[in-house]
Amino acid sequence: MRDPFFANTELIGLIGHPIKHSYSPYIQNYALEEMGIDCIYLAFDVVSENLRSSVNSVLTLGLKGLNVTLPHKEKIIKYLDELSEEASIIGAVNTVVNDHGKLIGYNTDANGVLETLLPFKDKISGTKVTVIGAGGSARAVIYTLLRYFKPEEINIINRTHQRADTLMNYFSLKMRYDSFRTFELFPPDNVETLKNSRLIINSTTIGMFPDVEDTITDIEDSFNEDQIVFDLIYNPTKTKLLRMAEEQGAKVVGGMTMLISQAAKSFQLWTEVEMPVVEITKKLEEYIAKNLT
Ligand code: NAP
């Protein structure tokens, strides 16, 4: 058990809305205690109207930094002093470091996507990929695909079609890639797109706790055994989408590896210490098994 907190105990915050589903406080506090760092990590439910004042409070209260989750990853950029090269290309921030009064934004989600997909690199490179969603995490997904996996074609499917187009135009310019196609989220046009993709990535909130029976498609033969289906959602650990795809023979992967990998990179940025990833993964799995939500 760690020592009690003292006046010089430091604080790292997590801001988002909603925030109750997050496992980050468990991961980060476990790592801080394990590595003997006198700092705590707390979640704050921040609605969009309070984003600016909550970023200001990092400076006025002297927080060590922040994690940023939906829906603030893009809007927070205008309140920061500097961005890492990666965050600047991606256009979204999930980690802020308070560097002696200067707020620097990073994107460690890209690291999480990379760690998750690396084992499938040979199967993915040069093939068709479908990304569902056009929010903050879809940006990290598309950046990572273009930078490390060189797909033949990227389909972006999103409820708000215009947002998919915005993402397509953004990355066409930023990363000089012109093999995008965009679609609305509704079948039947999607089914062919899904079927023809070697890799399908869900980066929407569809299927996330508590709406665990929701999926991006109810049509089972959207999937086949040549595919890899990656759902960024980590609560539940296996979404209905993944269960459906697995039943059709696809290789499926949930958001847990991404969650731990992005957390490890953020931890390192704040503390300059490496997170004990293997031990934390084991502890988190035990914690989830005990507190199944
Ligand atoms: P975001 O920026 O708010 O984007 C949400 C996306 O979901 C948008 O494309 C939105 O479509 C779509 N969406 C939301 N509700 C929908 C609905 N009812 N029907 C259809 N589409 C809907 O969120 P984000 O930061 O990208 O996060 C997305 C998911 O990724 C969340 O589940 C989050 O937990 C997960 N995530 C996981 C990790 C990890 O480490 N594993 C890291 C980051 C994010 P519109 O554009 O039409 O609104």
Side-chain angles (χ1 to χ4, degrees), residues 115-222:
E115 293 290 325
T116 305
L117 294 181
L118 261 185
F120 308 107
K121 186 164 183 180
D122 292 345
K123 269 196 99 177
I124 298 168
S125 296
T127 66
K128 291 185 181 166
V129 173
T130 292
V131 178
I132 303 136
S137 59
R139 286 174 170 269
V141 165
I142 292 170
Y143 164 83
T144 310
L145 288 170
L146 291 177
R147 173 135 189 218
Y148 299 101
F149 297 92
K150 314 242 173 303
E152 181 198 353
E153 178 181 287
I154 298 182
N155 302 301
I156 308 173
I157 298 179
N158 197 48
R159 175 179 59 180
T160 314
H161 194 182
Q162 188 210 346
R163 236 178 141 194
D165 283 342
T166 303
L167 219 56
M168 169 178 77
N169 295 334
Y170 179 87
F171 280 102
S172 299
L173 268 175
K174 276 270 179 196
M175 298 187 77
R176 296 172 199 284
Y177 182 81
D178 57 13
S179 296
F180 282 112
R181 294 191 311 159
T182 64
F183 302 87
E184 268 180 55
L185 185 62
F186 301 105
D189 25 332
N190 289 336
V191 176
E192 283 310 307
T193 313
L194 293 180
K195 268 187 184 165
N196 294 333
S197 301
R198 175 64 58 82
L199 171 68
I200 297 165
I201 303 179
N202 177 37
S203 63
T204 73
T205 49
I206 303 171
M208 188 168 90
F209 176 82
D211 301 313
V212 296
E213 287 307 312
D214 292 350
T215 51
I216 50 156
T217 173
D218 281 332
I219 301 170
E220 287 182 6
D221 68 356
S222 306

Side-chain angles (χ1 to χ4, degrees), residues 21 69-71 73-74 109 133-138 158-160 163 185 202-206 208 232-234 255-256 258-260 262:
H21 67 283
T69 188
L70 61 100
K73 287 181 180 179
E74 292 150 270
D109 283 339
S137 59
N158 197 48
R159 175 179 59 180
T160 314
R163 236 178 141 194
L185 185 62
N202 177 37
S203 63
T204 73
T205 49
I206 303 171
M208 188 168 90
L232 269 66
I233 292 173
Y234 52 83
M256 200 52 82
M258 176 173 174
L259 177 69
I260 301 272
Q262 60 81 27

